[in-house]
């Protein structure tokens, strides 16, 4: 789960930082993801672009009343990303250089896996 969140956060920082650098105005995007044929969202994602930062709130609906929430804060001006797991009361801060290092390590690891999706 942490590896998936980290990889998602790296992609979020790279992709979503581009509009900020271009001077885009503040706005938000809401996304619901559904499993095959389901009428209920498997996860809900709200991304807020505000004051040069990106705040991403992911809620995963795991059946019943249980949900898991994760927060990612991308701060390109300070060159860092913050991952928050409110349920476990955990916080991880990663600097840009460390993210570049980790993404290289992840790419190397994925290249030797048997799963085609991981290699992709």
């Amino acid at each position: 789960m942490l590896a998936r969140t980290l990889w998602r956060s790296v992609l979020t920082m790279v992709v979503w930082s581009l509009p900020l650098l271009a001077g885009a105005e503040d706005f938000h995007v809401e996304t619901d993801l559904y499993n095959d044929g389901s009428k209920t969202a498997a996860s809900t994602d709200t991304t807020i672009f505000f004051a040069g930062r990106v705040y991403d709130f992911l809620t995963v609906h795991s059946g019943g009343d249980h949900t898991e929430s994760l927060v990612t804060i991308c701060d390109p001006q300070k060159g860092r990303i913050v991952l928050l797991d409110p349920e476990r009361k955990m916080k991880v801060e990663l600097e840009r250089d460390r993210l570049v290092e980790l993404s290289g390590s992840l790419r190397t690891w994925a290249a030797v896996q048997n799963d085609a999706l991981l290699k992709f």
Side-chain angles (χ1 to χ4, degrees):
M1 177 70 155
L2 182 59
R4 186 177 347 144
T5 301
L6 177 61
W7 182 243
R8 182 174 166 272
S9 299
V10 169
L11 288 176
T12 299
M13 184 169 189
V14 171
V15 173
W16 294 110
S17 294
L18 296 176
L20 295 174
L21 298 175
E25 293 187 29
D26 300 337
F27 66 99
H28 77 278
V29 177
E30 295 182 19
T31 308
D32 290 327
L33 298 175
Y34 296 85
N35 288 330
D36 294 332
S38 177
K39 295 189 189 285
T40 305
S43 67
T44 303
D45 191 56
T46 301
T47 306
I48 301 170
F49 301 84
F50 180 75
R53 292 184 188 91
V54 180
Y55 302 88
D56 188 73
F57 302 90
L58 173 67
T59 302
V60 179
H61 311 287
S62 335
D65 291 335
H66 182 74
T67 59
E68 183 176 346
S69 297
L70 301 170
V71 179
T72 304
I73 304 167
C74 298
D75 189 347
Q77 295 163 341
K78 291 186 179 178
R80 70 178 182 170
I81 189 167
V82 180
L83 308 173
L84 303 173
D85 184 340
E87 188 175 309
R88 294 181 190 95
K89 297 182 179 159
M90 295 176 69
K91 173 184 173 182
V92 176
E93 270 189 59
L94 297 165
E95 302 297 323
R96 180 179 296 134
D97 294 340
R98 182 70 176 138
L99 284 171
V100 170
E101 179 185 326
L102 287 171
S103 65
S105 297
L106 186 59
R107 185 177 300 119
T108 301
W109 172 82
V112 298
Q113 300 303 307
N114 294 327
D115 187 333
L117 182 60
L118 287 175
K119 286 185 179 184
F120 173 73

